[in-house]
Each structure stands twice: as C-alpha cells, then as structure tokens.
Amino acid sequence: MDIAKVIKKYFHSFSITTNGSLMYYLAEDLKENGLDNVNFSLDSLNKENFKSITRRDDLENVLKGLEKSLEIGLNVKLNTVIQKRNLSEVFDLIEFSAKRKLPIRFIELMPIGNSYNEDDFISEDALKSKIKEKYNLEPVKTKFGFGLQIIFLLRI
C-alpha cells in the first residue's frame, strides 16, 4: 500500500499484474490510492489444476478478489499461460471471461525457471487451432492498454 501511495503522488494512474491472492482484501485500498487497472494471472478454474500449476491452494481467494475488483469498478484483464495441463480448460476460461466481459490474453509458456517443462509447452498455432474448434477468430488492430497488441478477436 505504501508503494501505491507514492505512485498516486506522481502519476495519474497505475496498473498492476497480480496472482490475485490478496486482492479481495486490498482492492478497495488500492483503488483509493490510484489503482485503475489490474491484470489477474488465472491459469485454471479447476481447483486441483490451479494448485498443480501455481503450487498454491487459493483459487477461491483469487476468484473472490477478481469479483471484488470488478464490483468496485477496476478495469480487469486476465492473463492465462496455456500449457498441456490446462489446454482442456481453454473454453471454460473463454466463457468465464466473456460472461464478465473481460479481455483475456493467452500467453505461451516461457522456457525459464526450474518449473519449466518442455513437454507442457503449447504453441500459439496449437492454441489457435484448439480455439477454432468452437469459435471464429478475427484479426483486429485494436490495442488494449499498454501491453501487447491483441492479434485476434474472439466473437462469442
């Protein structure tokens, strides 16, 4: 919170990316101190799979924090690292974000750290093929925020 207070003094607004574990408790104070945008890392909606991926048993806290953030008017986006162990959830994640009118970014697993497993890697092309099983993807040139440019729009 101290960092948020300093940022508020010098900047018009700010954004964070979070695992969401404490957002239920911190969202209101962060918003009062200038937070406008929050990116939630959400790799699974399945409790066991979430724990396997994140090594944390707090999916319920993350979801409560996400809902609280929406309730108080923060701009929310989702970031999801797609791996073989959560590829089967891609449609659930799309529908979860669509129901809440949230942008979702699917991110390739990066080959860094001790937990990287090459066998878990899903390429962008493989992910697009999976999504095309159920949805049409349309190329767009719209930019959301300061992050990466959205390359495809999913119409639900």
Side-chain angles (χ1 to χ4, degrees), residues 58-76:
D58 60 355
L59 176 60
E60 190 173 315
N61 288 345
V62 173
L63 295 177
K64 283 174 40 180
L66 191 149
E67 296 299 337
K68 180 68 151 189
S69 297
L70 291 170
E71 177 186 308
I72 65 170
L74 290 170
N75 297 313
V76 174

Side-chain angles (χ1 to χ4, degrees), residues 91-135:
F91 298 125
D92 294 335
L93 288 158
I94 288 168
E95 289 157 16
F96 176 87
S97 65
K99 180 179 176 183
R100 290 159 182 80
K101 297 181 171 64
L102 300 176
I104 186 168
R105 284 189 277 203
F106 293 112
I107 302 167
E108 284 184 349
L109 181 65
M110 297 184 69
I112 56 174
N114 294 336
S115 62
Y116 175 72
N117 180 351
E118 189 174 319
D119 295 334
D120 229 1
F121 179 80
I122 296 290
S123 70
E124 176 185 352
D125 290 337
L127 175 60
K128 285 194 278 189
S129 292
K130 176 71 174 173
I131 293 171
K132 286 178 182 180
E133 291 174 10
K134 189 169 182 178
Y135 300 110

Side-chain angles (χ1 to χ4, degrees), residues 43-52 59 89 92-93:
D43 296 333
S44 178
L45 296 169
N46 174 284
K47 186 175 180 172
E48 290 77 28
N49 210 16
F50 182 90
K51 186 175 181 180
S52 168
L59 176 60
E89 293 185 68
D92 294 335
L93 288 158

Side-chain angles (χ1 to χ4, degrees), residues 140-153:
V140 294
K141 294 185 179 183
T142 302
K143 189 168 180 167
F144 291 92
F146 298 106
L148 298 173
Q149 192 167 7
I150 302 298
I151 299 171
F152 290 94
L153 179 65

Side-chain angles (χ1 to χ4, degrees), residues 2-3 6 30 39 52 64-65 70 79 92 100 129 147 155:
D2 292 337
I3 293 170
V6 170
L30 285 168
N39 295 327
S52 168
K64 283 174 40 180
L70 291 170
N79 293 335
D92 294 335
R100 290 159 182 80
S129 292
R155 296 231 187 254

